[in-house]
Amino acid sequence: MKNFDELLDGVLREDAAAEPRAGLEGRVMVRVRADGALPRGCFSQDWNRWRRWLPVPAAACLVAAVSVWYVSDGRVPHPDAAALRGSSPVLAIPAVEAPKPMAADAQSNAPQVRERPLFAEAVARQPKRVRTASAESEPKLETFPAVSQQGNPAGWLGRDENGKFAAIANEVTPAAAKAYRQLQEAQSEPIGIAAIEITPLQ
Amino acid sequence: MRRDDPLEREQEFSGIVERQARFMFRVAYSRLRNVQDAEDAVQEAFLKLYRGDAWRRMEDERAFLARTVWRIVLDRAPRAADRMDDVAGMELASAAGSPERSAAEKGERTLLRRLIDGLPEELRQPLLLSTIEEMTSREVAVVMGIPEGTVRTRVMRARAELKKRFEAMEARR
């Protein structure tokens, strides 16, 4: 049916040859500018320019995060801590405050705050992972240990085993022995408590 | 840094608008059948293009732009469909407004337009696109995202389907 094909082509050609109103191109550009597309385009260009540098701060953040994690995990030993620790597992006791041997009073029960640098903090945590034979042989306690006993699981500090500890410290390194003597001297000094003055309310 | 200069960028974009705005209008019009809707679709397409940067990497300019405006047309088509019947008839009258044309011929064209509108999308789209500025089967395939051979098959099927329906309608008259 040739007639139909001609008719169809004619209809399709009419649609295909449709003309817009005059000035379509100008109206398009005006709309592009008026809609704020130009600033957005500039912004996207800026973004395209800057995004190539994004990996740099990202890498810096990653390095910083890994460094902090590495240090806080105790993998970097502090030189002072290494000297104190020596090679003996006994000296790898956590760096917590030793309990004072004097009678329990209000002062000794108060938490003792000691400022430690970041490296020392990291090193102080590390020995907790060391499992010594004495720690494994420690009998199970009936009650949860008090605050004064925490950090002293083997009981090397405090009770009558101080002498044993001193002997071992003397055998290991002179520096450790010296440090232990200083600790004992500090513990034997009486604690001076200033008189508390309470002024009456007016 | 030619590509980063906003003025150069705008000039480059303006050149594309000058070259392809009418072509895009015809692509849009073939589906929307309304001058204002088609123009709106073209403007929206250019806005969308300018906000992005893909237009600077076009390999086949005509096919890329036709695809862009065609997608917008498909989004707008349901809105325009409500008034399509009225507008189609009205514009048909204005396009074929010469008094010499017979009322019978107008009736045939009107009927044929309605039959085209009634085709399934998969047949109507390649039929309409293939008649715009002699778009090749490859360009239509890019616009629709289908193989080139499928475009040819669908165009033939569309024509055959239209012919069948048209003859059936004529026989009923």
Side-chain angles (χ1 to χ4, degrees), chain B residues 11-110:
Chain B
Q11 283 180 359
E12 193 180 341
F13 190 77
S14 180
I16 295 173
V17 172
E18 291 287 337
R19 283 195 303 274
Q20 305 293 355
R22 284 169 184 265
F23 166 67
M24 290 173 72
F25 172 85
R26 285 169 182 157
V27 171
Y29 184 83
S30 71
R31 177 71 180 87
L32 297 171
R33 300 274 179 82
N34 179 275
V35 173
Q36 189 58 51
D37 287 343
E39 186 169 314
D40 286 348
V42 171
Q43 291 190 3
E44 191 179 332
F46 276 120
L47 270 178
K48 192 176 172 184
L49 280 172
Y50 195 80
R51 286 171 183 161
D53 228 19
W55 59 273
R56 308 188 88 163
R57 299 186 294 272
M58 291 185 292
E59 290 180 1
D60 186 338
E61 189 174 285
R62 263 167 56 107
F64 181 86
L65 296 174
R67 184 178 173 85
T68 303
V69 76
W70 188 255
R71 285 178 174 173
I72 289 170
V73 163
L74 292 182
D75 288 342
R76 300 172 69 99
R79 279 177 273 162
D82 299 337
R83 46 188 172 162
M84 185 174 283
D85 288 345
D86 298 337
V87 171
M90 194 168 62
E91 291 188 354
L92 176 65
S94 63
S98 59
E100 298 85 36
R101 297 199 176 186
S102 65
E105 191 179 354
K106 283 183 184 176
E108 284 179 344
R109 287 175 174 269
T110 305

Side-chain angles (χ1 to χ4, degrees), chain A residues 9-194:
Chain A
D9 287 339
V11 169
L12 292 173
R13 260 199 307 272
E14 277 177 15
D15 287 346
E19 287 290 331
R21 289 180 292 140
L24 172 65
E25 297 83 358
R27 286 195 296 278
V28 168
M29 289 309 294
V30 166
R31 172 102 182 261
V32 164
R33 294 187 187 104
D35 264 33
L38 292 180
R40 276 195 288 271
C42 292
F43 175 77
S44 71
Q45 275 190 322
D46 286 345
W47 167 245
N48 288 335
R49 190 182 303 155
W50 288 109
R51 73 178 174 189
R52 72 187 65 163
W53 296 103
L54 261 185
V56 175
C61 290
L62 186 65
V63 167
V66 168
S67 302
V68 168
W69 172 79
Y70 203 69
V71 167
S72 65
D73 205 34
R75 298 191 184 194
V76 179
H78 192 266
D80 296 343
L84 279 175
R85 193 169 35 192
S87 59
S88 171
V90 176
L91 291 179
I93 291 171
V96 289
E97 293 292 327
K100 304 225 175 202
M102 62 175 53
D105 57 8
Q107 290 293 329
S108 63
N109 286 337
Q112 300 183 26
V113 179
R114 187 179 62 171
E115 289 188 3
R116 288 183 290 194
L118 181 62
F119 279 93
E121 183 74 33
V123 172
R125 259 186 276 157
Q126 189 181 19
K128 289 180 181 175
R129 296 178 189 158
V130 177
R131 299 188 70 188
T132 60
S134 58
E136 286 177 354
S137 62
E138 184 75 7
K140 186 178 179 182
L141 300 175
E142 292 297 327
T143 58
F144 195 78
V147 176
S148 60
Q149 289 178 316
Q150 286 180 356
N152 187 17
W156 285 104
L157 297 176
R159 289 172 286 184
D160 55 351
E161 291 173 336
N162 276 342
K164 195 175 175 183
F165 180 83
I168 293 174
N170 277 327
E171 288 174 4
V172 177
T173 58
K178 185 182 175 184
Y180 181 69
R181 277 196 298 277
Q182 287 175 350
L183 176 66
Q184 280 189 323
E185 287 170 8
Q187 287 173 348
S188 61
E189 288 176 2
I191 299 174
I193 302 173

